[in-house]
Amino acid sequence: MAEKKKALDLISRPIKAVNIGLDSFVESLKAQSVEVIHVDWQPPAGGDDKALDLLDRLESL
Amino acid sequence: MAEKKSIIEEANKKAAEKMISARPVLKDVRPAEDVIPNMTKNTILHAGPPITWDRVCSPMKGGILGAVVYEKLAKDFKEAESLIKSGEVVFSPCHHHNAIGTMAGITSASMPVFVVEDKVNGNTIYANIREETVKALRYGFYDENVQRKLEWNAKTLGPVIAEALKISGGIDLINIIAQSLHMGDDGHNKNTAENALFALKIMPFLVKTNFSSDELSEVATWMNVDDRFISTAVMAACKSMCKAAEGIPNSSVVTVMCRNGTDFGIRVGALGDAWFTAPSPRVEALYFPGFGPEDAGLDMGDSCVTETAGIGAFAMAAAPSMVEFVGGTVSDSISYTKEMFEITVTKNQNFTIAYLDFAGTPTGIDIMKVVRTGIQPIINTSISHKDAGVGQVGAGMTRAPLECFKKALGAFGEKMNV
């Protein structure tokens, strides 16, 4: 019962969001007057596994 | 117990220390053909990495052809182009001659160039002298006014400054850059403080020269009209810092970033003279009245040697008023500097930023950090019209293409046998 109340509280209160990654999500939230902080993040080497593997090998030298 | 550093970290630390150790001094102004290595009467230097004539962008073509006519090697642009196509006139990157050139970077035999010496590392670097502010040869603009100004540079401006420098024994450029960062300059596109400081430092020696009061007045007036007069000497100082980090084994630190309006090119410490290129990026810009994005050429010039050495956009937290010229907000200018700490080896305590509690500027771009973080080096820059014969159309911000760094990383991996 307490769990359900917590969940209901979450959606009935104003939303405060932290967005990680794609900044287009920030714009949509801002357009709906939602308070949002954006964290500029992307996967290491932009998700390029080959570059990441090379970097790991170089850094171990 | 101290953390063991990898051999690359050790090499990069050494590279950054070499950059910071440079003590470039403006010693002289001489005709290019007298001092620049491998400069000949039929050589025209240009900005950026090497390029073939068919791929040269319009403003750089205009600048090269203008220089051929200025040197009286041809009577008009048509004849100038035929000399280039036949190989009788050669064009070559400034960086292949220990030189730098802003925008199109056009430097020809008789043009006076700043001579900047770094005795600590035994390097001498050369830089062309701006002849006009907006409608200039470096934007591919050549007319009778540009010709007159180039002739005045050679006949009056160069010799006057040269004699004053000789009497002075040389002007320390690190000192000027350091002070200017505390006075609102960034050292790339805002040089007002550098110019004023240089004028103050050279003045006692200008008045001791044997030139007439009219000639001295002309030179002093020009240093006031062109408030970026000294900027190319500062760029030569930055090149001397970067040059000191060249050839260090195992170093992944960037020693050259430059662009020719078609390609953006970089060089890396351990990788010698190899170029790693990608298409020149567009610039997010503020345009002069009457111009817009449709008029803009792609990123061009050797001037991002300032960012390579850790000033320019890397030091924009020191120059918040620049956003009036290049766009964005004051908080953007602070963020740019903070972001560049993520991709550089060290902070240069010779160049400090008051707003950041006197933190040193982010110095020694590491290709490994760039590729891992995806953070591309930030650059502030002027923009040429896409066509020759128009001039500057605005200024703004851009980023070095990630592709250059990925290509360099591949070659670096091979070099390191991993």
Side-chain angles (χ1 to χ4, degrees), chain B residues 106-123:
Chain B
I106 307 303
T107 309
S108 60
S110 70
M111 292 180 189
V113 293
F114 288 123
V115 179
V116 173
E117 287 180 13
D118 167 26
K119 283 201 170 159
V120 175
N121 298 289
N123 296 320

Side-chain angles (χ1 to χ4, degrees), chain B residues 22 50 62 76 116 151 186 192 208 214 266 313 316 327 335 353 355 373:
Chain B
D76 55 26
V116 173
E151 287 167 353
D186 77 306
T192 319
K208 284 187 178 176
D214 281 350
I266 69 167
M316 261 181 74
S335 299
I353 299 175
Y355 181 81
T373 62

